[in-house]
């Protein structure tokens, strides 16, 4: 416990006034933080002269929230003020919200605020080998766990970025060959440093290499045909990199190039957002021309992939995300430009069907009586004249409530149990 601040002590202070900061600085100076820092250094093995930290507010009780609304204290400003007070009181403490050594937690209880320094707990994404933040570590581990990597297998990440999923795979399943590709030299430089810090490589029994190349062109990945066993990928969501519109051409390009290098029976696990779900369907689902009774045709990627599994979850507890598990078939993928044209056609058909259905149900909802609504349901003359003749099937595999290896506990807990030595960073 670094600080204990009762409600009745701070309720009279104005958060917009310097009195609050002066009060906090005084309390920090009176606390014996050096003792706790010595214990933290002993457990974490961090003996650097300067320490970086982040102060986080943890809201615990409903009564505390009531205090927030009734008092003059702006609760959102308290972590910042405590962080500034700690930084000013100790010259070797630096505030760092992105990559920090430790976290200072502020708990809001029924009686007041409790400021603590966790000694035995590290944040999920905390690694000494991380140069910059990337994909959440527990999610990257979950992608690699779904691959079921075996010793000696070749694993590829076609858009590796900072290398987090690939390095989590190399750490958890050594004695494999891991290749990462990306167009950005900056990202690859970070990935290379991360690999060195993680200690993966020949000395750990694995081969890890990063290449500058484009995975979205024919022959863009510098590997021979049918030379890869497994693929793990965190595909662009269209937010931080690119856009959803750009993904309409990017996704079929990548899937076709991956189909070239992956062996028959090989496995691909990739992550994307729900906003790209229609693009994945347009790229991987079979189609029929002339309506549902027409002749079935291959998917945009030439039926090169079978969808085995689709899993939906909330990424960061707010963003709808999808994990797809694909299996390489014996079919040969079409040229990338052909796949892009087919995907664009399937996307237009999916959007046309959605618009036609929306028009139909709008007419039904605006019908004056149930008899008119029944007539609209039976007749397609009112809404089907602009409906596309290309029918896109639903994806196979089906959704699931959890991944096959998932035991129901959080991925954080399962990740920590898989490699308990990383629970406290050495």
């Amino acid at each position: 416990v670094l600080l204990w601040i009762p409600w009745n002590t701070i309720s009279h202070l104005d958060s917009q006034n310097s009195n609050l900061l002066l009060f906090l600085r005084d309390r920090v100076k009176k606390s014996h933080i050096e003792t706790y820092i010595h214990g933290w250094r002993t457990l974490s093995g961090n003996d650097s002269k300067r320490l970086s930290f982040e102060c986080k507010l943890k809201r615990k009780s409903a009564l505390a929230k009531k205090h927030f609304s009734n008092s003059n204290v702006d609760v959102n400003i308290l972590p910042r003020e405590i962080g500034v007070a700690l930084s000013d009181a100790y010259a070797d403490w630096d505030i760092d919200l992105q990559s920090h050594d430790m976290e200072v937690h502020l708990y809001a209880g029924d009686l007041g605020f409790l400021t603590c320094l966790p000694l035995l707990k590290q944040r999920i994404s905390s690694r000494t080998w991380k140069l910059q933040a990337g994909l959440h570590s527990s999610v990257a581990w979950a992608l690699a766990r779904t691959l079921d990597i075996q010793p000696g297998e070749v694993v590829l990440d076609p858009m590796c970025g900072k290398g987090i999923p690939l390095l989590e795979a190399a750490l958890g399943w050594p004695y494999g060959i891991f290749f990462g590709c990306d167009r950005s030299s900056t990202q690859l430089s970070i990935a290379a440093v991360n690999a060195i810090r993680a200690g993966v490589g020949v000395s750990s029994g694995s081969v890890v290499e990063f290449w500058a190349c484009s995975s979205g062109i024919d022959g863009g990945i510098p590997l021979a045909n049918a030379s890869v066993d497994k693929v793990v990928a965190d595909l662009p969501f269209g937010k931080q990199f690119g856009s959803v519109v750009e993904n309409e051409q990017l996704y079929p390009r990548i899937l076709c190039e991956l189909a070239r290098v992956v062996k028959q029976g090989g496995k691909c696990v990739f992550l994307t957002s729900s906003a790209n779900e229609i693009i994945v369907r347009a790229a991987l689902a079979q189609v029929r021309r002339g309506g549902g009774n027409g002749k079935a045709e291959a998917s945009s990627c030439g039926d090169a992939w079978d969808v085995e599994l689709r899993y939906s979850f909330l990424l960061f507890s707010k963003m709808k995300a999808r994990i797809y598990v694909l299996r390489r078939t014996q079919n040969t993928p079409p040229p990338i430009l052909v796949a892009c044209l087919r995907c664009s056609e399937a996307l237009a058909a999916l959007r046309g069907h959605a618009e036609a259905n929306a028009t139909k149900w709008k007419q039904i909802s605006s019908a004056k009586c149930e008899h008119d609504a029944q007539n609209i349901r039976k007749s397609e003359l009112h809404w089907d004249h602009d409906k596309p003749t290309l029918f896109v099937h639903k994806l196979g595999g089906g959704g699931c409530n959890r991944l096959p290896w998932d035991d129901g506990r959080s991925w954080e807990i399962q990740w920590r149990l898989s490699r308990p030595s990383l629970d406290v960073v050495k």
Side-chain angles (χ1 to χ4, degrees):
V1 178
L2 302 183
L3 294 173
W4 165 243
I5 308 175
W7 275 105
N8 57 8
T9 307
I10 63 174
S11 59
H12 66 282
L13 295 175
D14 184 0
S15 62
Q16 304 302 320
N17 194 288
S18 60
N19 289 336
L20 177 59
L21 181 56
L22 294 174
F23 171 78
L24 292 174
R25 285 176 176 172
D26 181 65
R27 294 297 299 270
V28 167
K29 291 178 180 179
K30 292 180 180 179
S31 60
H32 301 285
I33 295 180
E34 294 85 354
T35 304
Y36 304 111
I37 293 301
H38 177 72
W40 181 87
R41 288 183 183 278
T42 302
L43 290 171
S44 66
N46 189 328
D47 56 356
S48 59
K49 293 182 179 180
R50 301 195 66 84
L51 293 176
S52 58
F53 73 100
E54 179 186 10
C55 194
K56 283 189 173 182
L57 175 65
K58 304 288 186 177
R59 303 187 183 184
K60 287 298 181 179
S61 70
L63 183 58
K65 295 180 181 180
K66 185 178 180 181
H67 279 294
F68 295 158
S69 59
N70 294 339
S71 67
N72 295 324
V73 177
D74 182 3
V75 65
N76 296 314
I77 205 175
L78 286 174
R80 186 186 70 187
E81 297 293 355
I82 291 179
V84 172
L86 288 170
S87 181
D88 290 346
Y90 299 92
D92 56 350
W93 282 41
D94 298 322
I95 299 176
D96 190 342
L97 303 182
Q98 297 297 326
S99 179
H100 43 267
D101 299 319
M102 61 183 177
E103 291 182 353
V104 177
H105 290 176
L106 179 63
Y107 292 90
D110 293 342
L111 301 178
F113 290 98
L114 183 66
T115 307
C116 303
L117 175 63
L119 296 180
L120 299 177
K121 184 178 180 181
Q122 301 288 334
R123 65 192 183 109
I124 301 174
S125 58
S126 174
R127 303 289 181 277
T128 55
W129 55 267
K130 270 193 177 183
L131 182 63
Q132 290 186 15
L135 180 66
H136 216 254
S137 296
S138 62
V139 179
W141 172 85
L143 294 176
R145 178 70 178 85
T146 306
L147 274 182
D148 190 23
I149 302 170
Q150 302 299 317
E153 288 187 330
V154 178
V155 181
L156 171 68
D157 187 341
M159 305 187 77
C160 64
K162 300 179 180 69
I164 306 303
L166 197 68
L167 294 178
E168 283 289 345
L171 284 170
W173 294 266
Y175 307 105
I177 303 173
F178 301 88
F179 296 136
C181 302
D182 205 278
R183 295 185 302 174
S184 171
S185 58
T186 303
Q187 296 280 71
L188 289 174
S189 299
I190 297 173
V193 175
N194 282 341
I196 295 174
R197 292 186 173 187
V200 297
V202 178
S203 60
S204 65
S206 301
V207 176
V208 180
E209 294 184 9
F210 296 99
W211 302 326
C213 61
S214 176
S215 304
I217 60 176
D218 282 315
I221 299 176
L223 289 171
N225 295 352
S227 58
V228 174
D229 298 289
K230 305 285 175 65
V231 174
V232 60
D234 173 20
L235 295 184
F237 286 15
K239 290 182 175 292
Q240 186 177 1
F241 300 102
S243 65
V244 175
V245 175
E246 293 177 3
N247 289 345
E248 294 178 5
Q249 296 294 307
L250 178 63
Y251 279 28
R253 286 175 173 272
I254 292 177
L255 289 170
C256 282
E257 178 62 5
L258 288 177
R260 179 185 70 82
V261 300
V262 175
K263 301 176 182 178
Q264 180 180 342
K267 196 174 185 180
C268 174
V269 176
F270 70 86
L271 170 71
T272 186
S273 67
S274 61
N276 297 293
E277 185 175 13
I278 187 175
I279 303 175
V280 177
R281 180 179 174 185
L284 296 177
Q286 288 188 334
V287 299
R288 290 180 182 270
R289 297 188 183 275
N293 296 324
K295 183 179 179 181
E297 297 182 7
S299 66
S300 301
C301 294
D303 288 345
W305 296 102
D306 276 341
V307 182
E308 289 190 343
L309 199 64
R310 291 176 283 122
Y311 176 67
S312 302
F313 68 105
L314 287 178
L315 185 63
F316 310 126
S317 301
K318 58 183 178 180
M319 181 185 297
K320 294 181 179 179
R322 304 283 188 273
I323 291 178
Y324 293 87
V325 181
L326 312 181
R327 184 72 66 177
R328 182 69 172 92
T329 67
Q330 63 181 359
N331 299 318
T332 303
I336 284 181
L337 291 180
V338 174
C340 289
L341 291 174
R342 291 180 180 176
C343 187
S344 298
E345 186 181 13
L347 278 170
L350 286 170
R351 289 165 178 156
H353 280 281
E355 185 177 351
N357 284 326
T359 301
K360 172 184 176 181
W361 291 110
K362 183 177 180 180
Q363 292 180 4
I364 291 175
S365 61
S366 61
K368 296 181 179 180
C369 61
E370 180 62 26
H371 178 72
D372 292 343
Q374 290 291 346
N375 290 336
I376 295 175
R377 289 190 182 96
K378 294 178 182 179
S379 175
E380 296 184 349
L381 296 177
H382 297 277
W383 61 280
D384 201 37
H385 59 281
D386 291 328
K387 186 177 179 180
T389 58
L390 182 68
F391 178 79
V392 183
H393 288 244
K394 293 183 178 180
L395 287 177
C400 62
N401 293 328
R402 65 177 64 170
L403 294 170
W405 51 265
D406 195 347
D407 61 10
R409 292 175 294 182
S410 71
W411 289 352
E412 174 192 1
I413 293 176
Q414 295 179 71
W415 173 85
R416 290 185 182 279
L417 290 176
S418 70
R419 291 205 305 280
S421 59
L422 292 185
D423 193 32
V424 175
V425 179
K426 300 294 185 184

